[in-house]
Amino acid sequence: MPSSGIKPGLLRKMTVRRVLECLQEHGPLSRADLTRETGISAPTVSKAVADLLESGLLEEGMAPDHALGRPGKKLQLAQDTAQVIGVVLDVRECRVLSASLDGAIKSQAVVFSTPEDYPQLLEALTKAVKSLETEEVVTLGIGISTPGLIDEQNQRSLFSPNLQAINQRSPSADLTSATGLTAISVQESRALCLAERLYGNARGLDDFGMLDVTSGLGLGVFSGGTLLSGQSGLAGELGHVTMDPNGRQCGCGNRGCLETLATDTALAVTVSAAIGRALPIDQVIAEVQNGNIQIDEQLELVSEYLSVALAAAINLFNPSNLFVHGRLLTLNSNILKDVIARTSRRALAPSFEECDIQIAGSSKDQAAVASIVHHLTRSAGPRVAE
Ligand SMILES: [Zn+2]
């Protein structure tokens, strides 16, 4: 294999990344396990591990070694010595929480209503982040699950139809200035994809889709093991396909976009119109479950449009699994079955038959955490020397 073009620093970084991927996939491992799993030489693995321990991304502890029948030293993603912070930016409320590097949520989320004014939003986020920092544990960074179109390369929100306060702003750069912590914004459907692959039901899957149908409608796609981005990270905006040219006004400025018809918000809006008072989706669900309101008609319509979204994702990307993240699917146990039946009538049969449709196993909290963990592990940590 020609090696003249590869710099030693790059090789070292690749080893570091491979070690991190291995620990993310398998959990705690000894140095010997890592050498065997990665196929990289023991001294090279040891150097990478030393860098990672130094950076705070890994910690070493005693864990039961089943092969030896006694506890042995194991390396793991930091659980006690370091933490990351997840920020979920959303239309109605924001959530800020801390987690260990293996994705386990550590704190109760700080929740506040999303201010309409950007400086106020930034102030509230900064305050929440600072409240989660502790003396004992190193905070390695902040992941921000962000709605709308984001130039992820330049970390700028280009246009967010449902959260316009962040348009042309950079919440990640501003949070870094305010807190001194590395911060990264990832588009919310893409962040959910990362979470599902790291912590949810997409572990080990290379071809899957994630349809987020909460406030807006977004699609994240892993194809051949790669998260699809388009040329500047804006791919996946299935929600702004026109379904009804004369339909309801969408946050993007057009009318009748799929996201005005097939989301939690769409259901809440149509139910609110029918009963004559404005209810957010959580209250709609509570009222239905308490038997106070009946929403069969509205639910049927939203389910039909949701099946259009699912069928489109299946026809376009031929995924092995399609995960759906939405509160409306939790209304009762039959909704998913009903949506799948509708999808079967719309999608192309060979692609539909190969695709397993499930409710997403990961949350937006985990999506925010996965964004920063992915960033730190992909860039091999903030303090790792090249
Ligand atoms: Zn739209």
Side-chain angles (χ1 to χ4, degrees), residues 239-240 250-254 257 259:
H240 300 284
C250 179
C252 75
N254 278 327
C257 290
E259 90 168 22

Side-chain angles (χ1 to χ4, degrees), residues 31-74:
R31 284 177 178 73
D33 295 334
L34 276 171
T35 303
R36 193 176 52 248
E37 288 289 341
T38 58
I40 300 169
S41 75
T44 308
V45 164
S46 280
K47 263 188 215 142
V49 165
D51 281 351
L52 286 165
L53 286 169
E54 163 86 27
S55 75
L57 284 172
L58 288 195
E59 62 192 20
E60 191 162 28
M62 301 298 274
D65 190 325
H66 297 297
L68 295 173
R70 60 182 167 78
K73 274 192 174 177
K74 297 261 183 175

Side-chain angles (χ1 to χ4, degrees), residues 267 284-285 288-289 295 299 327-333 335:
L267 183 63
V284 169
I285 290 171
V288 171
Q289 285 171 345
I295 63 163
L299 190 57
R327 297 277 286 123
L328 70 95
L329 291 167
T330 64
L331 248 171
N332 67 54
S333 57
I335 294 177

